[in-house]
């Protein structure tokens, strides 16, 4: 391996180790390479890994299971602030995202349900509509603005 590559890896590893005790409340943005999914990627201890997962492991210990994920409380894929990360499951991650109003999935709605949602505009809060139909507030807004037709079941 070239000296330049070794030096680059050392810089990344040093940055991670220097920031594992980061105490700020703001997002700590990953300053290096990103994968196609928007998350930081790193060569750490000879392995290619998700930067959030590496930071979570260093800050909070090994994951309880191999299926555990590094969950972000800030919803920022680029953030590796150890205070924003915790171990959790895929279902916990989905539930957290729904509770924060982040678009996680689009359930199949019927054409009638799309019509009902549009007709409720101004009469019922988007929060209440989202709760009734099991969708996010952002999705309600898109439907009501006619920018989202979605896949219909009927």
């Amino acid at each position: 391996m070239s000296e330049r590559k070794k030096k680059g890896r050392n810089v990344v590893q040093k940055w991670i180790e220097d920031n594992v005790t980061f105490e700020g409340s703001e997002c700590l943005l990953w300053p290096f390479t990103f994968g196609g999914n928007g998350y930081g990627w790193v060569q750490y201890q000879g392995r290619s890994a998700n930067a959030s997962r590496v930071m979570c492991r260093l800050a909070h210990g090994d994951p309880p299971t191999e299926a555990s994920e590094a969950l972000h409380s800030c919803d920022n894929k680029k953030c590796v602030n150890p205070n924003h990360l915790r171990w959790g499951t895929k279902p916990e991650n989905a539930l957290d995202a729904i509770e924060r109003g982040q678009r996680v999935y689009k359930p199949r709605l019927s054409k009638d349900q799309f019509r009902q949602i549009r007709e409720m505009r101004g009469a019922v809060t988007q929060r209440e509509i989202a709760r009734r139909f099991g969708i996010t507030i952002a999705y309600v807004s898109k439907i009501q603005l006619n920018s989202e037709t979605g896949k219909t079941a009927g």
Side-chain angles (χ1 to χ4, degrees), residues 21-152:
T21 57
F22 184 76
E23 294 182 10
S25 61
E26 68 277 7
C27 287
L28 177 63
L29 301 181
W30 182 246
F32 302 104
T33 305
F34 292 91
N37 61 1
Y39 289 94
W41 282 93
V42 59
Q43 283 287 344
Y44 190 80
Q45 296 180 340
R47 296 180 60 192
S48 181
N50 174 295
S52 300
R53 191 168 173 85
V54 170
M55 185 64 86
C56 196
R57 182 183 298 264
L58 292 173
H60 306 297
D62 289 337
T65 70
E66 274 306 306
S68 295
E69 299 182 348
L71 308 186
H72 292 80
S73 63
C74 59
D75 294 326
N76 185 344
K77 293 178 177 185
K78 294 174 172 45
C79 178
V80 292
N81 182 335
N83 301 307
H84 294 185
L85 301 172
R86 68 177 175 86
W87 293 118
T89 64
K90 191 175 276 284
E92 285 175 313
N93 199 18
L95 183 59
D96 285 352
I98 290 168
E99 287 174 352
R100 289 189 301 269
Q102 183 184 24
R103 183 171 152 186
V104 180
Y105 68 95
K106 293 184 203 176
R108 290 186 176 259
L109 298 172
S110 69
K111 289 179 184 178
D112 187 54
Q113 288 171 315
F114 275 93
R115 182 189 51 74
Q116 289 173 17
I117 291 168
R118 287 188 179 110
E119 287 174 355
M120 290 180 186
R121 185 175 184 184
V124 181
T125 66
Q126 289 183 340
R127 180 179 304 277
E128 177 58 22
I129 294 168
R131 189 195 63 73
R132 286 185 195 176
F133 288 88
I135 59 179
T136 65
I137 295 168
Y139 194 33
V140 171
S141 178
K142 285 184 175 189
I143 292 168
Q144 290 182 334
L145 294 172
N146 289 318
S147 63
E148 185 64 56
T149 55
K151 294 179 181 175
T152 61

